[in-house]
Amino acid sequence: MRCVALVVAAGQGIRAGGEIPKQYRPLGGRPVLRHSLELFARHPAIDAVRVVIAEGHGPLYEQAARGLALLPPVTGGATRQASVKAGLESLAGDPPDFVLIHDAARPFLSAALIDRVCAALDRHPAVLPALPVVDSLRRTRGERVLEDVDRDGIVRIQTPQGFHFGAILDAHRHAPPAGFGDDGAVAAWAGLPVFQVPGEEDNVKLTLPEDFTAAERRLIAAAPRRTGQGIDLHRLVPGRRLVLAGVEIPFEQGLEGHSDADVVLHALTDAILGVIGADDIGTHFPNSDPRWKDADSTVFLRHALALLAARGGVLEHADVTILAERPRLAPHRAAMRASLARLLELSETAIGLKAGTCEGLGAIGRGEGIAAVALVTGRFRSVA
Ligand code: MG
């Protein structure tokens, strides 16, 4: 059985506010439309995906669909109904067995919902995802609340709605040109038996500006997080500057190393590389490379941040502990924290910075070197 997903994205989406139509507005770093396109494009039950777009939206569509294997888009009409009809007609030359018609403004449908609709099409010509109404219903006029409406047998209808292709094409060809809320209504008008499968509470339709705010919040809450750790240790020697967290600290000794030997930035760089499962700082910036001789270690940190960003990650929090017998670091803590906030593009409240001694124990305790331990947490917009 061949099944095509027809995604309707031809609206102007003005109620949602914003500069561009809502189906192209960014949500979690990707256009709203792209969320459902990615799901349909990789779903095993879907053989092809076609989008119905509005006149003049070609460039927005190209950006949203970049890199996905889709059928070329078709241009819709003045109403949703006309747009769906145009989409169905575009498939009529090589008709699939089934079609799933989906609103682009519902980015959160799941693969399981697609499975349910497709499975039910083996038994029924028209299938709608539906949810029960749990709140009481009343008829109103203005602010006045009137009589109770019996919610027994009332459901809320979503998309994707599934149909036997020939049946829904025929229904759209004969239906009056306006007045139907969705394709299930067109199917019912044409006399097709329409059946329901369970919908999903998460499969919301983005309509108003506050829907976008709530959707962003939900994506952030669901975004995968990873933690990375880094440890570094350098020897103190005379005749070198002491640089910690990008701040020069007055002291009669400095840390020995190929670069400026900033143990704090080295530990942080390794921790960030750990978040993305990359190799360590020594692999990215080998000691043997003369380019890194006396290098400012912010270069290493920026490189790790760029690699993180390229994987869709952003830092959420960093926590650093410095172990040093001397000098006393407490007077420099504020400057170091401000420096880290600037370098990591985090607020100072998202940075932990502690300094301790080793109570005279071991090499650090004898003042032979300084060590730093860093932990960072990164959040990913999409699974990295
Ligand atoms: Mg180092």
Side-chain angles (χ1 to χ4, degrees):
M1 286 296 184
R2 197 165 151 265
C3 183
V4 173
L6 187 65
V7 180
V8 191
Q12 296 299 331
I14 39 188
R15 265 191 298 170
E19 304 270 287
I20 53 174
K22 66 177 176 182
Q23 63 272 36
Y24 298 111
R25 273 178 63 177
L27 177 69
R30 293 174 294 160
V32 168
L33 168 63
R34 189 175 177 93
H35 289 256
S36 56
L37 294 186
E38 284 180 357
L39 184 65
F40 281 121
R42 66 167 188 252
H43 195 288
I46 304 297
D47 297 287
V49 184
R50 166 156 281 163
V51 184
V52 187
I53 65 173
E55 188 95 57
H57 285 180
L60 286 168
Y61 168 81
E62 292 303 331
Q63 214 180 350
R66 183 172 300 152
L68 298 176
L70 311 174
L71 299 174
V74 294
T75 304
T79 61
R80 185 187 180 284
Q81 191 183 328
S83 294
V84 171
K85 190 176 175 210
L88 293 171
E89 292 288 1
S90 78
L91 298 168
D94 178 21
D97 300 291
F98 301 150
V99 62
L100 261 52
I101 305 176
H102 183 66
D103 285 330
R106 292 187 192 268
F108 297 125
L109 78 162
S110 74
L113 178 58
I114 295 173
D115 282 331
R116 280 202 293 283
V117 174
C118 288
L121 286 173
D122 283 338
R123 305 184 304 277
H124 308 299
V127 176
L128 316 184
L131 285 172
V133 177
V134 291
D135 297 322
S136 309
L137 296 179
R138 297 282 190 290
R139 210 171 297 285
T140 61
R141 192 184 305 119
E143 292 188 355
R144 185 75 197 279
V145 178
L146 304 173
E147 75 274 14
D148 185 49
V149 176
D150 185 6
R151 70 178 177 217
D152 194 38
I154 301 283
V155 291
R156 295 175 285 146
I157 298 296
Q158 304 182 324
T159 70
Q161 301 183 352
F163 303 95
H164 290 185
F165 179 78
I168 193 67
L169 174 64
D170 200 50
H172 266 276
R173 279 178 174 170
H174 292 96
F180 295 99
D182 64 7
D183 307 292
V186 175
W189 172 86
L192 292 174
V194 181
F195 286 82
Q196 59 166 317
V197 294
E200 295 175 336
E201 289 293 350
D202 281 352
N203 183 23
V204 292
K205 186 170 185 177
L206 304 181
T207 306
L208 303 169
E210 52 266 36
D211 297 339
F212 276 80
T213 316
E216 284 284 358
R217 218 179 290 130
R218 215 174 60 220
L219 278 176
I220 286 169
R225 284 180 171 76
R226 291 194 191 152
T227 302
Q229 58 113 34
I231 298 174
D232 197 32
L233 168 65
H234 282 255
R235 183 185 296 277
L236 278 166
V237 291
R240 292 267 298 177
R241 297 187 309 139
L242 177 60
V243 183
L244 293 173
V247 175
E248 185 161 348
I249 299 199
F251 190 50
E252 70 262 20
Q253 291 180 301
L255 293 171
E256 184 180 42
H258 188 62
S259 66
D260 66 10
D262 186 332
V263 286
V264 174
L265 296 195
H266 291 189
L268 275 168
T269 301
D270 262 349
I272 294 164
L273 293 171
V275 164
I276 54 173
D279 292 333
D280 62 19
I281 186 172
T283 313
H284 287 272
F285 302 99
N287 274 344
S288 51
D289 190 330
R291 272 185 301 168
W292 314 126
K293 173 129 180 57
D294 296 323
D296 180 341
S297 295
T298 59
V299 173
F300 309 152
L301 189 73
R302 290 210 170 89
H303 177 74
L305 287 170
L307 290 176
L308 176 70
R311 312 266 178 107
V314 287
L315 276 196
E316 199 167 56
H317 172 254
D319 189 18
V320 175
T321 301
I322 306 171
L323 290 174
E325 210 69 16
R326 283 190 321 133
R328 269 192 76 235
L329 294 175
H332 307 286
R333 198 200 303 257
M336 289 192 287
R337 190 193 299 274
S339 168
L340 291 181
R342 197 170 54 248
L343 290 167
L344 299 172
E345 294 179 24
L346 285 173
S347 72
E348 291 193 24
T349 55
I351 293 172
L353 182 61
K354 290 146 296 173
T357 70
C358 283
E359 301 287 336
L361 294 167
I364 306 268
R366 291 190 297 272
E368 292 171 19
I370 293 178
V373 179
L375 273 180
V376 302
T377 306
R379 171 167 55 75
F380 290 83
R381 289 190 180 283
S382 53
V383 178

